[in-house]
């Protein structure tokens, strides 16, 4: 019995101490959201600053492929699940019945969970594309241009109408 205890204490215990963090980490990974899960995004489609009650939303990846669809029907909020292998940036394009142009918003990565789609986010996307594409630099410049445009069109110039952190989600100005 002493030799078994000695073997456990001297040989197996140090080995268990070394591999315990690995075993604990493995157990956690099955409970956390990782790269293999979908990115769920929720938000509101704003038509002339008021929530749209009817809209079709398509998520279009950087290759131009529609990767997800959602609808706004009666309730102002939408929910869309982007696949785990989505090629970012993804453009959310909302078509409102009776409106000639679709509204757009850019989603720059899988950590984004809330994104409204409005005329302001459309300005950001269109300006970034005109600057050469949906890169972080172009989205940052476009967000600044959208703020300036709101100021020049009679807006207060404040950020009270915006949600989001422009340093993390440039298409998040809404």
């Amino acid at each position: 019995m002493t030799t078994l205890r000695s073997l456990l204490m001297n040989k197996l215990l140090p080995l268990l101490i070394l591999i315990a963090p690995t075993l604990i980490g493995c157990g956690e990974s099955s409970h956390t959201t990782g790269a293999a899960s979908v990115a769920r995004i929720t938000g509101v489609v704003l038509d002339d600053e008021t929530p749209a009650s009817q809209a079709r939303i398509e998520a279009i990846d950087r290759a131009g492929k529609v990767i997800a669809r959602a609808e706004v029907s009666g309730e102002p909020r939408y929910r869309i699940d982007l696949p785990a292998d989505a090629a970012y940036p993804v453009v959310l394009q909302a078509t409102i019945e009776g409106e000639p142009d679709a509204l757009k918003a850019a989603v720059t990565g899988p950590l984004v969970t809330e994104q409204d789609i409005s005329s302001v986010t459309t300005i950001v996307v269109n300006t970034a594309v005109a600057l050469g594409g949906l890169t972080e630099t172009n989205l940052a410049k476009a967000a600044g241009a959208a703020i300036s445009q709101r100021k020049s069109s009679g807006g207060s110039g404040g950020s009270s109408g915006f949600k989001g952190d422009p340093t993390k989600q440039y298409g998040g100005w809404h």
Side-chain angles (χ1 to χ4, degrees), residues 128-168:
V129 169
L131 290 170
L134 296 175
T135 65
E136 286 192 24
T137 301
N138 290 345
L139 286 166
K141 289 177 185 177
I147 292 169
S148 296
Q149 192 166 5
R150 283 181 59 97
K151 285 181 189 177
S152 66
S153 64
S156 68
S159 61
S160 63
F162 295 109
K163 284 197 285 188
D165 181 348
T167 63
K168 294 181 180 173

Side-chain angles (χ1 to χ4, degrees), residues 102 104 119-134 139 142:
K104 302 173 188 173
S119 59
V120 175
T121 59
T122 302
I123 291 168
V124 171
V125 170
N126 291 342
T127 303
V129 169
L131 290 170
L134 296 175
L139 286 166

